[in-house]
Amino acid sequence: MKVDHMRLFSMLLGLCALLAAPAAQAQNMVCPGRISARMSGEMPEKVTMLLAVKAPGDREIEVDFRRALFAALRRSEFIMGVPPTHLLVWQGNIARPVIGAAPRKTDRALTRDDPLGRELGEIIALPGMPKLDRETVPLPADTARIEGLLQLRELLTGRVIWNAEVSCARSPAAEEPMLISILINAIVPTIGKTVRNKEF
């Protein structure tokens, strides 16, 4: 019996797509959001990075986010190590806010006037950076807004060469590992690029 390998291969691809669709849709429902970013300097060919992650509220989640981001950058062939040439900074909230607790500064919408992480310097959205089109409809009471700013800086001069703003609406059922994966998969492919309200 002669087997049509091309037809079999096409059928397998179709089956994989059908199986992957519900998983991708479920992943997007965990924290659907947007990212805007802008280049503000030249991106060198050789960039060796250090990470600075500041996520108030849960030290364990902050460590997990740093490790996952480091691994994703390595997989995307960014050079991580010493001596570094650039610093990649994340500042924002990741953890679910405690029910009934007063909102922290990082639980509010980040603006161009919010100074974040003074020990890391003033982390703010740069002038002229594309703004996120945030929903005007209030989020349900059990939905948390996850927001952050990222910057890639020259280590010697402190000059920002890439700046990004990230926001997503965390569903009540979202677990931290999946949430971290969603954010990192949105962040890493955009490093060194200008994007306007790209959905994820």
Side-chain angles (χ1 to χ4, degrees):
M1 180 177 178
K2 189 175 180 181
V3 179
D4 188 337
H5 293 287
M6 288 302 296
R7 185 177 179 185
L8 181 60
F9 182 68
S10 298
M11 290 174 64
L12 287 172
L13 280 180
L15 178 61
C16 289
L18 286 173
L19 292 174
Q25 187 176 13
Q27 177 173 322
N28 189 51
M29 292 302 292
V30 171
C31 201
R34 296 173 181 268
I35 180 169
S36 283
R38 183 174 72 89
M39 288 297 297
S40 53
E42 184 179 352
M43 186 80 170
E45 289 186 10
K46 296 290 184 180
V47 173
T48 304
M49 291 187 193
L50 278 184
L51 289 181
V53 175
K54 188 67 175 176
D58 193 319
R59 174 65 177 167
E60 185 177 347
I61 293 175
E62 184 178 279
V63 170
D64 289 344
F65 186 82
R66 182 184 293 108
R67 287 175 177 166
L69 181 55
F70 183 93
L73 290 166
R74 289 285 297 270
R75 288 195 299 271
S76 296
E77 300 183 349
F78 286 100
I79 302 170
M80 313 298 295
V82 178
T85 59
H86 290 73
L87 180 67
L88 182 65
V89 183
W90 161 275
Q91 178 78 43
N93 64 315
I94 300 173
R96 185 195 308 272
V98 178
I99 296 175
R104 301 185 305 270
K105 187 168 192 175
T106 49
D107 287 332
R108 296 187 288 103
L110 303 176
T111 71
R112 296 167 193 280
D113 300 323
D114 278 340
L116 300 174
R118 294 185 182 278
E119 71 277 13
L120 298 175
E122 298 294 321
I123 314 297
I124 60 172
L126 296 179
M129 197 183 88
K131 292 183 179 180
L132 287 177
D133 292 331
R134 288 187 176 84
E135 298 174 3
T136 55
V137 179
L139 295 175
D142 57 353
T143 303
R145 174 70 71 184
I146 303 297
E147 303 207 321
L149 295 175
L150 288 106
Q151 290 184 346
L152 183 62
R153 305 179 184 177
E154 293 177 347
L155 201 59
L156 289 179
T157 65
R159 181 174 178 234
V160 176
I161 65 171
W162 177 79
N163 198 69
E165 183 181 2
V166 183
S167 177
C168 71
R170 174 178 179 158
S171 69
E175 297 294 333
E176 272 72 24
M178 179 62 76
L179 176 64
I180 288 172
S181 175
I182 293 284
L183 290 172
I184 289 175
N185 287 335
I187 290 166
V188 172
T190 65
I191 294 175
K193 300 176 183 178
T194 296
V195 296
R196 292 178 177 272
N197 282 296
K198 180 180 178 182
E199 294 185 0
F200 60 85

